[in-house]
Amino acid sequence: MITDSVEAASSIQAETTSAYKEKPTTENKALLRPKDITVTAKRPISTQASSSTHISAEDMQAYRMQTVSDIAERVPNLSFTSMTPSNPVVTVRGMGSSEDHGSSSYTPILIDGVSVPSFALGQIFDLSDVDVMRGAQLTEGINAFAGLISAHSHDPGDKLSATASFEYGTGNRKRGSFTADIPVNDSTSIRLAFGGETADGYIHNKALDKHNTGGWHSWWGRLKILHTDSSGGEWRISLHHMINHGGNDYFEMPENAKKHISYSTDQGKNDTEYLLGSLQYHRSFSEHLNIDAMFGGVGTKWKYWNPRSVFNAVSGNSAPTQQIGGSLMLSGTFGKLDWKGGVYGQRALRSSPYDFDMSPYYISHTTADLGTTEIAFMGELGWHFAQNWKLVPSIRVEHVDSSLKNWTSSISGDVPTAFSMYQSLPDQTISKTVPLPGVKLEYSPKNFSSLRQFMWLSYTRSFLAPGYNPFSNYAETASVPYSSSYGNNIELGYRVGDKKNIWSIEVVGFSNFLSNLQVAATSKLGETVVATAKKAHSRGMEATIHWRPIHNFQLNGFVGLTYAAYDRFIYGGKDYSGELMDSTPISNFGFSGAWTVIKDLTVNASIIRRGRSTLHPSSNVENDPYLLMDAQIEKRWKHWSIAIYGHNLTDSGYYTRGVPSGRVVAANPRQIGLRAGVSF
């Protein structure tokens, strides 16, 4: 059952409960409301309070969130940048836009506990919920510098059932899916999910006289097993596979991009694929000891080729990656003490070749293999030193090895003068071990009969690992690693609401003091590299509200304010000090509502405004403020459902990427569609 943030906060000292939520009903569903969460299989007693948003499967369907960028636009102080709609990079409170240029992850994305590239959520399917945690996280397994996004697949049900749905919408988009829950016996169930989608996209290429150069076709599937052993341990085994093939006809001059018009002479390529496996185990021995373990891995492929017109050259790469890792977490409570501790480890390998062919004038080809090994030990101790107060010190010891192998660069040209250069480097490595302390003061009064309250004040030291620039064309820059980033982060939060869940409010203020912040930049040699801003800061607030004045009607709202800027950043002879970080609007706010007009007939609607921001990586282009409006009307019968939806109903035109040539990528236009489903 979904529990709002105030309820969750007051249950910290209560009995351990499962983090796998039961399916909410229309009546008790809370749209985009904050929630105190954890990314492990069970919620430990020492739950960490932080600014967070819980998004259910019903939320994703009602507001048609089908990529992580759809989520980012509808959550306070989240943004994104993307070269195509299915390859977003999330920024949290201003931090993160440069992570696709290096090997560090500002905001890790997890599927069933396994870390994945952001494009793995470029096609959301069969998820029970997604949890978004803002701010550095020390004891949630993987290192999280800016925040954490954790997606959970549906658990198998204990009754034989199946569902099927079909959707048709703007851009000749057709989507079909099928799921089935198959109980094997009283202790074991299986869930199957598979589907596919095709679309022409939303680009009119006038040079080729085609409407499908930005289109795609994809397939996905998932197998999940849930088994409860004789000792009460819960085993979750899941296997996920997704394939997406599509065009890449998105970069255009602003006046054309906003109209979704292209004059490219080819459509480019944007093909992605991943295969992911996850094993999760939870067992509660007693209130004194709980165990959560996860082990998994993922292999990904991304073939990305720009149309020649983007840089007047054939450019792109094919970048496979492999990641494997796991965690072991223990938690429990003894009297006035709560505790949590464990170990996390991950090994990642990424191949990063890149071609730039402007024949006969200039041709470059680079190869680079990036390797990262992360090992962390973490723990926290909660001391209930007074009736309503708890002090929670925490520590994370992070060790990272980063390597650059097989780096080569060949550059040549024939016009106007023939030239040729070839360089290579021996293997490069850099290691770093850092202690990351944190402390939190929590206040949870118990003497209010009608209200639930929770307040916290926290300090967290955060760390982003050093690494190498995989797209360097010259040995002199490829051999020099970029620096580690550090943050000193302060957060103050307050939640209050009534015990009947009629209303709740959460307000969070934060201030992040950043040093050596990793920033994507262009070197004096024309390379895309990760530079470091000596000093930077990010400060602001988030607020959310939930109100259900009558049983069949509820309203939810949010506001996010972020001021993220460089305090001292000089690069390439230019002083960027005082400039705002890109892809980060100073303000964003929105409202959503759900109204059950009559039994089984529901209307959902939302309106969101996002403020002005500059584009990544070229901050010369700005996004004007824009509105996003979504709506859906859904009617349900015993076994059938039908819905009409609209996405970006105001047809707002805005951009998601910009390059120094002045070309930009525009977000998708208005989309309208029909969805029908059946359960049996």
Side-chain angles (χ1 to χ4, degrees), residues 91-159:
T91 64
V92 180
R93 296 173 174 174
M95 297 173 285
S97 60
S98 66
E99 72 174 48
D100 59 347
H101 296 283
S103 56
S104 301
S105 180
Y106 282 78
T107 305
I109 296 177
L110 310 178
I111 298 179
D112 286 353
V114 178
S115 174
V116 298
S118 58
F119 68 74
L121 287 185
Q123 195 64 264
I124 289 176
F125 65 96
D126 196 45
L127 295 181
S128 65
D129 51 70
V130 176
D131 290 314
V132 179
M133 304 177 74
R134 292 174 290 273
Q137 309 294 322
L138 297 183
T139 59
E140 296 294 344
I142 193 169
N143 182 47
F145 182 82
L148 182 67
I149 298 176
S150 182
H152 313 108
S153 63
H154 276 288
D155 270 349
D158 57 3
K159 295 181 180 179

Side-chain angles (χ1 to χ4, degrees), residues 2-269:
I2 283 188
T3 308
D4 74 10
S5 59
V6 179
E7 293 174 320
S10 66
S11 67
I12 288 179
Q13 301 174 6
E15 186 177 4
T16 300
T17 57
S18 173
Y20 285 87
K21 278 69 66 177
E22 296 176 7
K23 183 177 181 179
T25 64
T26 301
E27 288 76 20
N28 71 6
K29 182 177 64 175
L31 303 177
L32 303 185
R33 283 159 48 195
K35 183 178 169 59
D36 195 62
I37 53 115
T38 183
V39 298
T40 55
K42 291 283 183 174
R43 179 181 300 155
I45 296 298
S46 185
T47 300
Q48 186 175 13
S50 64
S51 180
S52 58
T53 300
H54 176 77
I55 304 170
S56 69
E58 288 73 21
D59 297 334
M60 287 181 267
Q61 180 169 288
Y63 301 102
R64 199 168 172 271
M65 302 180 196
Q66 297 190 338
T67 71
V68 70
S69 54
D70 293 332
I71 292 174
E73 288 182 312
R74 290 154 179 83
V75 171
N77 285 339
L78 258 68
S79 298
F80 74 99
T81 175
S82 65
M83 293 181 286
T84 74
S86 60
N87 300 93
V89 173
V90 174
T91 64
V92 180
R93 296 173 174 174
M95 297 173 285
S97 60
S98 66
E99 72 174 48
D100 59 347
H101 296 283
S103 56
S104 301
S105 180
Y106 282 78
T107 305
I109 296 177
L110 310 178
I111 298 179
D112 286 353
V114 178
S115 174
V116 298
S118 58
F119 68 74
L121 287 185
Q123 195 64 264
I124 289 176
F125 65 96
D126 196 45
L127 295 181
S128 65
D129 51 70
V130 176
D131 290 314
V132 179
M133 304 177 74
R134 292 174 290 273
Q137 309 294 322
L138 297 183
T139 59
E140 296 294 344
I142 193 169
N143 182 47
F145 182 82
L148 182 67
I149 298 176
S150 182
H152 313 108
S153 63
H154 276 288
D155 270 349
D158 57 3
K159 295 181 180 179
L160 182 64
S161 63
T163 63
S165 69
F166 177 79
E167 186 175 326
Y168 181 79
T170 309
N172 196 30
R173 180 177 170 275
K174 299 180 285 289
R175 179 184 177 101
S177 63
F178 176 83
T179 64
D181 292 326
I182 307 170
V184 178
N185 51 45
D186 291 342
S187 59
T188 306
S189 296
I190 297 174
R191 183 176 178 87
L192 296 172
F194 58 87
E197 178 176 290
T198 65
D200 291 344
Y202 313 103
I203 305 296
H204 179 195
N205 188 306
K206 292 194 172 184
L208 301 175
D209 193 25
K210 291 184 177 181
H211 290 268
N212 62 352
T213 54
W216 64 91
H217 52 277
S218 59
W219 302 267
W220 60 82
R222 177 175 290 126
L223 170 67
K224 188 171 186 180
I225 301 172
L226 173 60
H227 172 72
T228 303
D229 60 33
S230 58
S231 301
E234 296 178 357
W235 299 81
R236 289 173 171 85
I237 304 171
S238 55
L239 183 67
H240 321 246
H241 192 200
M242 189 278 293
I243 301 174
N244 183 84
H245 292 164
N248 182 26
D249 192 11
Y250 296 102
F251 278 99
E252 259 294 349
M253 299 307 294
E255 60 271 18
N256 295 328
K258 189 168 285 191
K259 298 176 184 178
H260 300 93
I261 294 173
S262 170
Y263 289 91
S264 299
T265 55
D266 65 288
Q267 68 181 38
K269 180 179 289 187

Side-chain angles (χ1 to χ4, degrees), residues 216-479:
W216 64 91
H217 52 277
S218 59
W219 302 267
W220 60 82
R222 177 175 290 126
L223 170 67
K224 188 171 186 180
I225 301 172
L226 173 60
H227 172 72
T228 303
D229 60 33
S230 58
S231 301
E234 296 178 357
W235 299 81
R236 289 173 171 85
I237 304 171
S238 55
L239 183 67
H240 321 246
H241 192 200
M242 189 278 293
I243 301 174
N244 183 84
H245 292 164
N248 182 26
D249 192 11
Y250 296 102
F251 278 99
E252 259 294 349
M253 299 307 294
E255 60 271 18
N256 295 328
K258 189 168 285 191
K259 298 176 184 178
H260 300 93
I261 294 173
S262 170
Y263 289 91
S264 299
T265 55
D266 65 288
Q267 68 181 38
K269 180 179 289 187
N270 183 55
D271 296 347
T272 57
E273 178 180 359
Y274 71 84
L275 178 63
L276 181 149
S278 172
L279 169 63
Q280 296 171 292
Y281 175 74
H282 168 82
R283 182 179 174 186
S284 180
F285 292 89
S286 68
E287 65 175 343
H288 304 305
L289 179 61
N290 306 287
I291 181 172
D292 289 281
M294 184 283 297
F295 179 78
V298 61
T300 67
K301 296 179 182 179
W302 184 15
K303 295 182 179 179
Y304 179 84
W305 295 91
N306 290 306
R308 185 179 183 91
S309 60
V310 175
F311 299 106
N312 294 316
V314 175
S315 61
N317 64 348
S318 299
T321 65
Q322 299 84 39
Q323 295 178 183
I324 189 169
S327 63
L328 175 64
M329 303 295 292
L330 304 176
S331 61
T333 180
F334 289 94
K336 294 184 177 182
L337 298 178
D338 304 331
W339 63 276
K340 174 184 178 181
V343 60
Y344 175 86
Q346 177 176 277
R347 174 63 175 167
L349 298 172
R350 169 185 165 190
S351 179
S352 299
Y354 192 81
D355 288 335
F356 189 89
D357 187 350
M358 197 191 301
S359 303
Y361 309 102
Y362 178 88
I363 306 171
S364 72
H365 173 71
T366 60
T367 65
D369 294 330
L370 296 175
T372 306
T373 300
E374 176 189 0
I375 300 174
F377 299 90
M378 67 208 79
E380 68 178 29
L381 182 67
W383 174 34
H384 299 267
F385 63 90
Q387 180 180 2
N388 301 323
W389 295 87
K390 183 166 74 166
L391 185 66
V392 188
S394 58
I395 185 69
R396 180 185 184 93
V397 179
E398 179 87 5
H399 175 81
V400 177
D401 292 321
S402 298
S403 65
L404 175 70
K405 298 182 178 180
N406 303 319
W407 182 88
T408 64
S409 174
S410 60
I411 301 175
S412 61
D414 295 324
V415 177
T417 303
F419 66 94
S420 179
M421 183 198 75
Y422 177 83
Q423 291 181 315
S424 63
L425 283 173
D427 294 350
Q428 309 286 308
T429 59
I430 184 172
S431 297
K432 197 76 174 181
T433 302
V434 293
L436 302 172
V439 64
K440 188 183 310 92
L441 181 65
E442 299 177 2
Y443 175 66
S444 181
K446 305 296 188 299
N447 56 351
F448 289 88
S449 58
S450 60
L451 294 179
R452 290 177 172 173
Q453 299 184 77
F454 183 65
M455 184 172 63
W456 73 93
L457 173 64
S458 66
Y459 162 79
T460 306
R461 174 76 165 168
S462 56
F463 162 79
L464 197 61
Y468 294 89
N469 289 295
F471 304 118
S472 297
N473 294 111
Y474 299 92
E476 63 184 271
T477 51
S479 60

